[in-house]
């Protein structure tokens, strides 16, 4: 039976990425060696790294605009502290928008480096919406936001105008929609949400914002050091970078971000229409802030949980349970999830309605 993978991360990737990755594990570039065993300094892998870094900037529309793309270790969570290390001055401060669990984590790390101002928060409402009215201090060293919140199913539909550097954690919606990425001075994203396997983190940074903190930064946490060493200051996660390159190539061949945005919107519209129509389900996020990537919803009557769970599992659906901290259901519709899989879930929800109503 075909599986329909709604996992929030590590998540679904294009089938051709699995196939090409599998081939490379056995024999990479007809070298007789596996991608798992080649030297990261070999000509073949250096070419992979160079193409991946260039393709990131190409897809984001940032080529030739003073940005560098890096593939690093540590997950997006390490960027929680690398961001203030590289951008917050010794006597300065940073401004943060608190919209979910990952924003809370980023704020906690920033506080260890200096004054950290939370300009707005939706915590009191269980992060069910994105704050709209807030003021960003003009004297802050940077402003940090999280574009999409996987746990609570909210997404920023627009971004503030500010003269200070803007940082964004785009772990769960990067490459999914058209944005003016030049608005941001630093973008980071764990690959395992929408770009590749777990084990590598993408960082895109405008070089002009670096080197101004007055801090002594450990080399492994210094973005300038990683730029100087062309994203290979230490041994990179070779396989994860390669699989990410394959995913980026797939996206480029599909038509890039404008093409995938249309597909993603169609998937989200199909599922949210059913959530709103079906009397046995209810969404958890404010409608104007609903995430295109992660749809969160509940049963109106939790006594029907066992029945619904049995039905979606029987249909080959996987990973639909909500995050352990909030419960309910979460349908993660990342780039590689086909519209067909969303239709299967919608059909199950309709069959469930018929079953309960009869």
């Amino acid at each position: 039976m075909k599986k329909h993978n709604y996992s929030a991360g590590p998540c679904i990737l294009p089938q051709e990425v699995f196939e090409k990755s599998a081939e490379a594990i056995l024999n990479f570039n007809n070298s007789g060696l596996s991608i798992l065993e080649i030297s990261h300094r070999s000509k073949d892998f250096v070419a992979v790294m160079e193409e991946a870094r260039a393709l990131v900037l190409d897809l984001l529309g940032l080529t030739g605009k003073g940005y560098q793309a890096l593939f690093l270790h540590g997950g997006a969570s390490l960027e929680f502290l690398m961001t203030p290390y590289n951008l917050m001055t010794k006597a300065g401060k940073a401004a943060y928008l608190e919209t979910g669990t990952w924003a809370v984590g980023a704020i906690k790390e920033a506080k260890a480096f200096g004054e950290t101002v939370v300009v707005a928060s939706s915590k009191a409402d269980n992060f069910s919406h994105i704050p709209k009215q807030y003021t960003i201090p003009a004297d802050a060293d940077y402003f940090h936001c999280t574009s999409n919140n996987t746990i609570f199913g909210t997404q920023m539909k627009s971004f503030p105008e500010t003269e200070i550097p803007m940082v964004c954690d785009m772990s769960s919606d990067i490459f999914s929609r058209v944005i003016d990425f030049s608005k941001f001075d630093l973008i980071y994203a764990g690959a395992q949400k929408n770009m590749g396997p777990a084990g590598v983190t993408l960082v895109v940074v405008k070089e002009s914002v670096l080197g101004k903190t007055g801090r002594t930064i450990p080399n492994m946490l210094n973005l300038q050091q990683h730029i100087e060493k062309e994203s290979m200051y230490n041994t990179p996660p070779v396989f994860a970078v390669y699989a990410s390159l394959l995913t980026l190539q797939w996206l480029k061949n599909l038509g890039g971000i404008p093409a995938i945005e249309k597909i993603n919107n169609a998937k989200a519209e199909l599922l949210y229409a059913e959530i709103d129509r079906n009397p046995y389900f209810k969404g958890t996020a404010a409608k104007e802030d609903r995430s295109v990537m992660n749809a969160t919803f509940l049963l109106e009557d939790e006594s029907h949980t066992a029945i619904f769970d049995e039905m979606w599992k029987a249909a080959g659906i996987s990973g639909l349970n909500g995050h352990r901290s909030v419960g309910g259901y979460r349908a993660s519709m990342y780039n590689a999830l086909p519209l067909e899989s969303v239709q299967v879930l919608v059909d199950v929800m309709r069959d469930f309605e018929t079953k309960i109503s009869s």
Side-chain angles (χ1 to χ4, degrees):
M1 175 185 288
K2 176 180 173 58
K3 288 290 186 178
H4 306 279
N5 185 5
Y6 283 93
S7 173
C11 68
I12 187 171
L13 293 173
Q15 185 62 33
E16 69 179 64
V17 171
F18 294 139
E19 293 170 358
K20 291 179 180 179
S21 295
E23 291 174 7
I25 286 176
L26 296 176
N27 184 6
F28 177 58
N29 276 4
N30 294 316
S31 64
L33 297 173
S34 168
I35 186 70
L36 301 178
E37 64 180 336
I38 64 168
S39 168
H40 66 291
R41 299 295 182 185
S42 67
K43 180 180 178 181
D44 282 345
F45 183 72
V46 169
V48 167
M49 180 65 85
E50 290 178 348
E51 183 181 354
R53 294 176 67 201
L55 192 47
V56 165
L57 299 181
D58 177 27
L59 287 166
L60 298 180
L62 297 177
T63 303
K65 296 183 179 180
Y67 288 81
Q68 292 282 350
L70 303 168
F71 287 91
L72 306 178
H73 299 272
S77 295
L78 185 59
E79 296 310 312
F80 293 169
L81 66 94
M82 285 183 73
T83 295
Y85 233 146
N86 284 268
L87 297 184
M88 190 190 293
T89 57
K90 284 185 175 181
K93 66 181 178 182
Y96 279 71
L97 183 64
E98 187 177 48
T99 54
T101 300
W102 309 120
V104 170
I107 291 166
K108 180 179 178 180
E109 296 291 353
K111 286 180 177 179
F113 289 84
E115 183 181 357
T116 302
V117 179
V118 177
V119 298
S121 174
S122 54
K123 187 174 183 178
D125 299 315
N126 199 33
F127 297 121
S128 60
H129 64 92
I130 301 291
K132 306 298 190 302
Q133 302 296 327
Y134 52 88
T135 300
I136 300 172
D139 60 344
D141 292 319
Y142 65 88
F143 167 72
H144 179 287
C145 58
T146 305
S147 57
N148 186 76
N149 301 285
T150 54
I151 294 176
F152 299 95
T154 61
Q155 185 177 43
M156 295 181 71
K157 304 302 181 181
S158 62
F159 297 89
E161 297 295 330
T162 178
E163 297 299 318
I164 66 173
M166 183 151 60
V167 179
C168 191
D169 176 357
M170 293 189 182
S171 290
S172 52
D173 68 348
I174 195 166
F175 300 117
S176 70
R177 55 176 172 157
V178 175
I179 296 174
D180 179 5
F181 293 96
S182 66
K183 289 171 64 79
F184 305 94
D185 297 270
L186 193 155
I187 297 167
Y188 61 88
Q192 73 276 7
K193 297 287 189 183
N194 206 29
M195 187 179 69
V200 67
T201 305
L202 174 65
V203 174
V204 180
V205 61
K206 195 168 188 177
E207 285 192 82
S208 61
V209 302
L210 300 176
K212 300 178 179 180
T213 66
R215 298 178 185 275
T216 299
I217 306 174
N219 283 338
M220 273 298 292
L221 303 178
N222 191 336
L223 291 176
Q224 288 181 306
Q225 182 71 31
H226 289 290
I227 291 171
E228 180 183 336
K229 298 298 182 180
E230 299 179 321
S231 201
M232 288 201 281
Y233 172 70
N234 68 327
T235 305
V238 173
F239 178 73
V241 173
Y242 177 66
S244 294
L245 170 61
L246 295 177
T247 306
L248 294 170
Q249 291 173 335
W250 168 81
L251 179 57
K252 177 73 172 180
N253 293 335
L254 192 68
I257 294 176
I260 201 66
E261 181 181 48
K262 292 179 181 178
I263 296 171
N264 288 335
N265 286 342
K267 292 184 293 188
E269 288 168 6
L270 176 61
L271 181 54
Y272 282 123
E274 180 60 22
I275 291 172
D276 292 339
R277 183 207 65 80
N278 196 313
Y280 293 97
F281 298 93
K282 59 182 177 182
T284 61
K287 289 186 177 182
E288 68 272 17
D289 298 324
R290 282 174 165 174
S291 170
V292 173
M293 294 283 96
N294 311 96
T296 53
F297 58 99
L298 303 170
L299 285 169
E300 284 284 3
D301 185 347
E302 291 187 359
S303 69
H304 296 142
T305 298
I307 298 173
F308 181 58
D309 287 355
E310 181 181 0
M311 291 179 69
W312 60 260
K313 290 175 183 177
I317 292 172
S318 175
L320 193 64
N321 291 113
H323 190 271
R324 59 188 179 277
S325 66
V326 296
Y329 301 94
R330 171 175 55 179
S332 295
M333 300 174 288
Y334 296 124
N335 285 357
L337 184 78
L339 183 63
E340 168 198 352
S341 291
V342 180
Q343 186 63 61
V344 169
L345 175 56
V346 168
D347 289 344
V348 168
M349 295 168 76
R350 291 172 180 169
D351 290 343
F352 173 78
E353 178 187 14
T354 300
K355 185 180 185 71
I356 297 302
S357 300
S358 61

